[in-house]
Amino acid sequence: MGTTTRTAWTRLSPQLAGDLVLRHDAVYEQAARLALGQYDHVRPAAVAYCETPEDVRTCLLFAREHGIHATPRSGGHGLAGWSTTEGLVIDLSRIAHVRIGPDSVHVGPGGQAVDAISALAPHGLQIAAGSDASVGLAGYLLGGGNGWQTRAFGLGSDRMVSAQVVLAEGRVLRCDSERHPELFWALRGGGGGNFGVVTDLEIRPNPVPRIVCYDVSWPWEQAVEVVEAWQQWMVHVPDRLASTLVALSLDAGTGEPPQLLVQGGYLGSPEEFERELAGLVAAVGRPPASAVSEDLPYRAAMMRQFGCAGWTTAQSHLVGHNPEASIPRHAFARDRSRMLAAPLTGSAVHEVLEVLEADSPRGFFRALTFRALGGAANIPAPEDTAYVHRDALFHAGYAAGFLSSGSPAETAAAAVSWVHRGFGVIDPHSNGHSYVNFPDPDLPDPHWSYYGSNYPRLCAVQRRYDPERFFRYPQSIGG
């Protein structure tokens, strides 16, 4: 950075309650990191650890004054890497409050899934949170928020009561169904990084003290029957049942058949769940190779889902988040997925499974994942919130990646090529839409894919609340 810019940064630092980290600082490497190592080459000029909405406002005004690109960062899990920049990263990890009121819960954008779950568990309450312990609440909720509670209570964004937002011009406002209702509409599914920086989200909690969590597996040779039966099963089971089907190869190219798993949670008694599971087993026509279910406190069930069973909340964060954090970063990951408005049948099931059997080099995991939607998530009309996918029954797609930062570039290229192959197979069977929380830089028409018929209205909101298009990234609204 030049002398003039360095002087400007020096003036910014004492204006913040939090800390400003510059490239020459000892903690810079950790401050600049996202959850995925593939974006480590992006070198922010500065990272501001904001502690208050006023810190956020100060950073935005500074960036505007000096013509610096700025982007907010909540958990830093965005698959496309758009929560970093060569300019100023507005880090929200210290605005991580969880405050429980009589009818709602206020959460900070820097809170992560495990933080909210742990804070709410003693009260028998929960809000929707991601399937990874360290996923940030802001990006997750602003993009929709799908998980174990979705079919029973609706998306995380459907439970939003209000939001506090800092606009690019420096104004701090609270929006809800009566105050700035168009902005409130847009924040419920419009995705993070648009319109302004959210510093507080008010959510209606769900009564979820316990849940029956389950893991069921079948041998790979039964994959066609399981995929067909599972989809039909999910169309008819009670909304209290959440489920994900995963076909997974931990290392491509080994010759080992993929694992075939059905996982999820049931908001009811173990006896009720066993009756529902019997329906799936009957439809498959073959008993599972393994079936484990347990009625657990919700936090314990989610910690098992996260792969953090027996860990403390502090441990259940990405390494570097705090001294005890123990979750390793992925060096690389790529995902391409679509929404399905109807179950896949016949030859389509064979086609999507054959992608997992295709030859490929070793060194990366491969997964085909179907996440069940429907239920309460499909009750609102597409135009009721910015989240348009109210006809979707499944979110399905392919992912590949690896943990080791020492993997050769050819491994990443092979993983990307495999994901592209899978997307090409599933795309013709989809409704043409994608989930903004799983951004895909290669979509030919991302705005239609993410927002459908709601996109013109989102552009109108963007023109009103960010007329200069300060908030921008490759697929941002209005871009």
Side-chain angles (χ1 to χ4, degrees), residues 99-157:
R99 295 195 295 266
I100 303 170
D103 303 305
S104 64
V105 175
H106 285 264
V107 297
Q112 299 182 5
V114 69
D115 301 319
I117 289 168
S118 298
L120 294 171
H123 305 272
L125 300 173
Q126 289 298 332
I127 61 171
S131 57
D132 186 305
S134 58
V135 165
L137 293 175
Y140 171 81
L141 292 167
L142 295 174
N146 177 34
W148 279 7
Q149 301 176 49
T150 298
R151 286 173 43 82
F153 298 107
L155 296 159
S157 58

Side-chain angles (χ1 to χ4, degrees), residues 134-350:
S134 58
V135 165
L137 293 175
Y140 171 81
L141 292 167
L142 295 174
N146 177 34
W148 279 7
Q149 301 176 49
T150 298
R151 286 173 43 82
F153 298 107
L155 296 159
S157 58
D158 293 338
R159 306 292 290 172
M160 193 184 300
V161 178
S162 72
Q164 184 183 68
V165 187
V166 185
L167 303 181
E169 67 188 37
R171 187 162 42 128
V172 182
L173 56 82
R174 173 73 61 175
C175 65
D176 55 28
S177 60
E178 296 183 356
R179 298 170 291 180
H180 304 281
E182 282 297 287
L183 178 59
F184 182 60
W185 173 87
L187 292 177
R188 289 175 291 161
N194 293 302
F195 316 116
V197 179
V198 172
T199 51
D200 178 75
L201 289 161
E202 183 184 7
I203 309 294
R204 288 192 304 274
N206 304 319
V208 192
R210 303 184 67 85
I211 193 167
V212 178
C213 60
Y214 62 91
D215 291 89
V216 186
S217 71
W218 274 269
W220 180 247
E221 57 265 26
Q222 204 73 19
V224 170
E225 293 86 349
V226 172
V227 171
E228 286 193 334
W230 177 84
Q231 292 176 90
Q232 296 296 334
W233 181 62
M234 287 309 305
V235 170
H236 300 292
V237 294
D239 296 347
R240 298 188 300 278
L241 196 148
S243 194
T244 300
L245 185 150
V246 182
L248 172 67
S249 290
L250 293 176
D251 189 346
T254 63
E256 294 294 321
Q259 301 174 35
L260 187 62
L261 307 170
V262 174
Q263 304 170 315
Y266 181 73
L267 297 171
S269 71
E271 294 76 19
E272 291 171 347
F273 169 71
E274 291 298 332
R275 287 195 293 270
E276 297 299 339
L277 179 61
L280 174 60
V281 173
V284 171
R286 176 172 173 172
S290 64
V292 177
S293 64
E294 189 172 2
D295 181 23
L296 291 172
Y298 188 81
R299 182 184 182 279
M302 288 304 298
M303 294 297 275
R304 178 183 292 182
Q305 170 74 5
F306 294 153
C308 299
W311 290 15
T312 66
T313 299
Q315 290 172 321
S316 306
H317 292 87
L318 287 173
V319 170
H321 177 273
N322 65 72
E324 299 177 53
S326 301
I327 299 177
R329 288 199 311 162
H330 274 77
F332 184 88
R334 186 72 167 87
D335 180 286
R336 300 200 72 190
S337 50
R338 283 297 203 189
M339 297 289 192
L340 306 180
L344 300 182
T345 58
S347 62
V349 175
H350 288 271

